[in-house]
Each structure stands twice: as C-alpha cells, then as structure tokens.
Amino acid sequence: MSTLKKRSVLLAGHATSVALEPEFWAVLDEIAAHDGLTAAGLVARIDTQRGRRPLASACRLTALDWRGRHPIAP
C-alpha cells in the first residue's frame, strides 16, 4: 500500500484529520457517492457509529466491509 494521505474533517464541531492509505480513501469516496454524501459526511457518520474504536480503524473497516459486499467487477 501507498503512503498515508491526510484529509481534514469537522466532527462534532471540531476540526480533525484522518490519515489513510489512498486505496482506502478511494473506497470511502465510492461509498460516499453511493450514499449521496461528501467524504467528510461519510467520515462523520462513521464517527457516530465507531464506539471506542479509533477513527482511522473504523474507516478502514468500513471500506473493507463495503468492498467485501461490493466487489470490483473483473
């Protein structure tokens, strides 16, 4: 995997950044488009559902779950 890419998001009124590999951002962008959200909106949704899990980990798990259910066509 490639080096990490940071994106800034506003969560509960606080600015933060999330660092993920570009491959994970690509899947999160796909999910966001499917759900009619911005990537920041998707990360905010993930944040509300993640419990005590670190945000970057929750984002990666969301991307892996999505890709498992929506594989790339050969």
Side-chain angles (χ1 to χ4, degrees), residues 23-45:
E23 295 85 353
F24 284 108
W25 282 122
V27 176
L28 292 175
D29 289 337
E30 184 180 335
I31 297 167
H34 178 270
D35 291 354
L37 299 168
T38 63
L42 176 63
V43 172
R45 185 174 75 188

Side-chain angles (χ1 to χ4, degrees), residues 4 6 10 25 28 31 39 44 47:
L4 299 178
K6 282 189 178 183
L10 194 63
W25 282 122
L28 292 175
I31 297 167
D47 182 52

Side-chain angles (χ1 to χ4, degrees), residues 1 3-4 8 17-18 21 29 33 35-36 45 49 54 57 59 66 72-73:
M1 292 216 171
T3 59
L4 299 178
S8 296
S17 62
V18 181
E21 295 78 5
D29 289 337
D35 291 354
R45 185 174 75 188
Q49 301 170 348
S57 296
C59 289
W66 171 267
I72 297 173

Side-chain angles (χ1 to χ4, degrees), residues 42-53 55 58 62:
L42 176 63
V43 172
R45 185 174 75 188
I46 292 167
D47 182 52
T48 65
Q49 301 170 348
R50 69 185 170 107
R52 296 177 55 102
R53 186 182 313 273
L55 182 57
T62 297

